[in-house]
């Protein structure tokens, strides 16, 4: 029997035969079984969980939000909360979401660009009807295929871009269904070799902008001059403008926040990450997503990224915890969710840069990292606080020291 034809018990038995699992390892796989999750993927064996926490208060367009975040990194939620605290002192984040459309691509080669362009112009209404007929319910709700553009990719390669309003959904399936229907038309016209039809994750028609203006007192820190902190944040940010090595790390920090909310909200974080990083490289060089500037009194931050998330569809309608998270988020539209996510990314970046240009990142992270270190060497939940206190006093708080301290503690 093929692996994917086996039922869950048979799959576990097959894995056990290959891997020789211990009783407690088998119990762990069993314990995390979920009937819903089993339906979601192929070859299901168990469910993998990550910690979820909440950013308790971030003000966005004058409304306060509590934001669930899913992450395995110890300092992410603490940093987001700290960033939000500073931002709230400056009146909160102001966000805009200019448009919310997904793009589907029909990719054709061996094509004459002007022939395709003329066809698209002359047949626009027909093509739009054809696309919408493939997914009538989306059109009935006021969404669906809205317009079609073409791009000449050179050497006979052409992209026919379908601009699709997916309403409250991220809409990958809708976009792909409509794109395949429109591709059928181009195949029938024999205007080139229709290679494929698929949505683009470079969602440049779903851009969200978030801005903050922070009086220096909002970023004040004991032992540092607030104006100096602001100038150093601006400088730090300028490195990312110039250097992809630094920009990648700064953007990773932004994604600490963005991905954590994207995951908690049941959206596709790979799609979001791919689109955001492509946007960071849109002028040919990979750069930072957030821009910081300052004048004599105020630090200004701004980020624009594609954020094509949904509040219905996919795992959102299936996973109960995701539904609970939407209740915590209390957003009414996909656009509102997108704005919350981008605002959290900005808060995350502010907190990271402020730490980096003042006391450095390790000081604030240490308490949380020591907890992870204690767990990593096998400390029980009861032993963790004692071991963390001892590690704080150790000359080198590393794995070896942690192991040694734990052994000594248990021997006493
Ligand atoms: C760590 O997860 C994120 C940071 O490296 C971000 C940054 O360097 O800007 C602290």
């Amino acid at each position: 029997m093929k692996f994917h034809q086996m039922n869950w018990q048979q799959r576990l038995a097959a894995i056990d035969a290959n891997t020789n699992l211990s009783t407690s390892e088998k119990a762990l796989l069993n314990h995390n079984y979920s009937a819903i999750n089993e339906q979601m993927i192929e070859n299901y064996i168990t469910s993998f969980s990550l910690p979820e926490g909440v950013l308790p208060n971030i003000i966005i367009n004058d409304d306060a939000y509590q934001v669930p975040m899913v992450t395995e990194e110890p300092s992410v939620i603490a940093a987001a909360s700290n960033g939000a605290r500073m931002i709230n002192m400056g009146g909160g984040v102001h966000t805009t979401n200019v448009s919310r459309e997904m793009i589907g691509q029909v990719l054709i080669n061996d094509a004459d660009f002007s022939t395709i362009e003329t066809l698209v112009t002359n047949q626009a209404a027909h093509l739009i009807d054809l696309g919408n007929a493939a997914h009538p319910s989306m059109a009935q709700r006021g969404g669906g295929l809205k317009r079609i553009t073409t791009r000449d990719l050179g050497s006979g390669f052409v992209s026919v871009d379908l601009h699709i309003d997916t309403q409250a959904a991220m809409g990958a399936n809708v976009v792909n269904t409509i794109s395949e229907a429109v591709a059928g038309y181009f195949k029938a016209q024999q205007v080139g070799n229709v290679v494929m039809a698929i949505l683009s994750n470079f969602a440049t028609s779903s851009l969200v902008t978030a801005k903050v203006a922070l009086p220096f007192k909002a970023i004040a820190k004991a032992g540092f001059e607030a104006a100096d902190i602001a100038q150093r944040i601006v400088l730090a940010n300028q490195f990312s403008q110039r250097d992809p090595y630094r920009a990648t790390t700064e953007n990773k920090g932004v994604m600490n926040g963005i991905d954590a909310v994207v995951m908690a909200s049941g959206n596709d974080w790979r799609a979001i990450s791919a689109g955001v990083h492509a946007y960071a490289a849109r002028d040919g060089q990979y750069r930072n997503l957030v821009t910081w500037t300052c004048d004599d009194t105020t630090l200004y931050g701004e980020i624009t990224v594609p954020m094509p998330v949904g509040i219905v569809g996919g795992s959102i309608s299936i996973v109960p915890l995701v539904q609970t998270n939407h209740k915590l988020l209390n957003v009414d539209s996909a656009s509102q969710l997108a704005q919350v996510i981008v605002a959290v990314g900005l808060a995350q970046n502010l907190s990271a840069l402020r730490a980096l240009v003042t006391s450095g990142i390790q000081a604030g992270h240490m308490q949380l990292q020591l907890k992870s270190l204690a767990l990593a060497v096998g400390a029980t939940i009861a032993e963790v606080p004692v071991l963390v206190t001892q590690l704080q006093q150790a000359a080198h708080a590393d794995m070896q020291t942690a192991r040694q301290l734990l052994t000594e503690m248990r021997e006493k």
Side-chain angles (χ1 to χ4, degrees):
M1 191 192 286
K2 292 201 175 113
F3 195 80
H4 74 95
Q5 291 166 331
M6 295 175 183
N7 67 28
W8 177 62
Q9 299 286 1
Q10 290 165 329
R11 282 194 293 265
L12 283 194
I15 288 202
D16 188 26
N18 287 336
T19 325
N20 192 18
L21 295 168
S22 68
T23 310
S24 65
E25 285 163 341
K26 276 188 262 190
L28 193 62
L29 295 180
N30 271 304
H31 178 74
N32 289 308
Y33 172 82
S34 148
I36 293 176
N37 290 0
E38 187 182 9
Q39 299 307 312
M40 286 174 71
I41 60 162
E42 281 271 282
N43 296 352
Y44 174 86
I45 56 167
T46 191
S47 300
F48 182 102
S49 74
L50 289 171
E52 175 176 326
V54 74
L55 158 55
N57 180 22
I58 182 165
I59 297 169
I60 305 168
N61 301 332
D62 300 326
D63 287 324
Y65 290 85
Q66 58 182 354
V67 189
M69 299 176 76
V70 171
T71 181
E72 88 302 342
E73 191 173 325
S75 51
V76 164
I77 298 177
S81 305
N82 187 29
R85 178 191 58 78
M86 293 183 268
I87 285 173
N88 293 347
M89 277 176 75
V93 191
H94 295 278
T95 57
T96 42
N97 187 354
V98 178
S99 65
R100 227 193 83 80
E101 278 178 352
M102 293 294 290
I103 298 168
Q105 291 187 281
V106 178
L107 294 162
I108 311 172
N109 83 324
D110 280 341
D112 172 48
F113 178 68
S114 59
T115 306
I116 305 250
E117 200 181 28
T118 308
L119 197 61
V120 166
T121 309
N122 293 343
Q123 296 299 316
H126 172 61
L127 285 168
I128 287 172
D129 285 348
L130 188 78
N132 285 331
H135 210 298
S137 61
M138 187 52 80
Q140 274 154 22
R141 290 201 297 272
L145 179 55
K146 297 292 177 189
R147 62 198 172 89
I148 307 177
T149 53
T150 45
R151 280 179 304 119
D152 186 354
L153 306 178
S155 312
F157 285 71
V158 176
S159 178
V160 177
D161 295 341
L162 312 179
H163 301 262
I164 299 166
D165 176 352
T166 56
Q167 302 266 295
M170 188 267 188
N173 284 327
V174 178
V175 173
N176 291 337
T177 302
I178 292 178
S179 302
E180 285 181 8
V182 174
Y185 173 85
F186 286 97
K187 277 184 196 156
Q189 295 299 311
Q190 299 189 332
V191 285
N193 178 30
V194 179
V195 178
M196 60 182 174
I198 183 76
L199 100 163
S200 170
N201 288 120
F202 191 25
T204 51
S205 299
S206 293
L207 296 179
V208 173
T209 296
K211 293 184 190 183
V212 290
L214 307 173
F216 287 167
K217 70 172 185 321
I219 56 165
K221 188 170 182 172
F224 298 89
E225 191 65 46
D228 194 40
I229 298 177
Q231 278 151 16
R232 289 171 71 85
I233 287 176
V234 172
L235 270 177
N237 192 237
Q238 286 173 358
F239 274 99
S240 302
Q241 272 291 319
R242 290 170 170 73
D243 179 20
Y245 282 84
R246 175 58 204 147
T248 305
T249 319
E250 189 178 325
N251 291 347
K252 186 274 181 187
V254 174
M255 296 311 285
N256 277 344
I258 287 183
D259 273 344
V261 191
V262 171
M263 283 175 79
S265 70
N267 277 280
D268 179 344
W269 70 95
R270 287 89 54 215
I272 297 302
S273 294
V276 166
H277 292 297
Y279 193 72
R282 66 194 177 284
D283 73 359
Q285 181 178 326
Y286 187 89
R287 295 178 201 281
N288 49 323
L289 297 159
V290 181
T291 308
W292 292 102
T293 53
C294 73
D295 58 23
D296 292 343
T297 57
T298 311
L299 176 67
Y300 303 93
E302 179 167 347
I303 177 173
T304 297
V305 280
M307 196 49 62
V309 288
I311 55 166
V312 296
S315 74
I316 301 166
S317 320
I318 303 169
V319 180
L321 183 55
V322 168
Q323 284 160 20
T324 306
N325 287 345
H326 280 264
K327 205 164 168 188
L328 298 187
L329 277 159
N330 195 21
V331 292
D332 297 327
S333 67
S335 164
Q336 201 184 352
L337 173 61
Q339 293 175 56
V340 171
I341 293 170
V342 178
V344 173
L346 184 55
Q348 198 81 48
N349 176 247
L350 171 65
S351 183
L353 291 189
R354 177 169 166 275
L356 284 166
V357 302
T358 54
S359 37
I361 211 79
Q362 288 307 87
H365 284 195
M366 230 33 202
Q367 184 73 9
L368 292 161
Q369 276 170 1
L370 294 182
K371 249 191 196 174
S372 298
L373 186 58
L375 288 168
V377 296
T380 62
I381 301 299
E383 289 166 334
V384 166
V386 187
L387 188 53
V388 165
T389 311
Q390 292 186 4
L391 283 166
Q392 275 166 339
Q393 286 146 17
H396 301 289
D398 55 16
M399 209 70 165
Q400 198 186 342
T401 313
R403 258 195 217 106
Q404 195 184 326
L405 288 170
L406 184 62
T407 311
E408 286 167 13
M409 193 197 302
R410 285 176 177 172
E411 278 165 359
K412 273 183 198 160

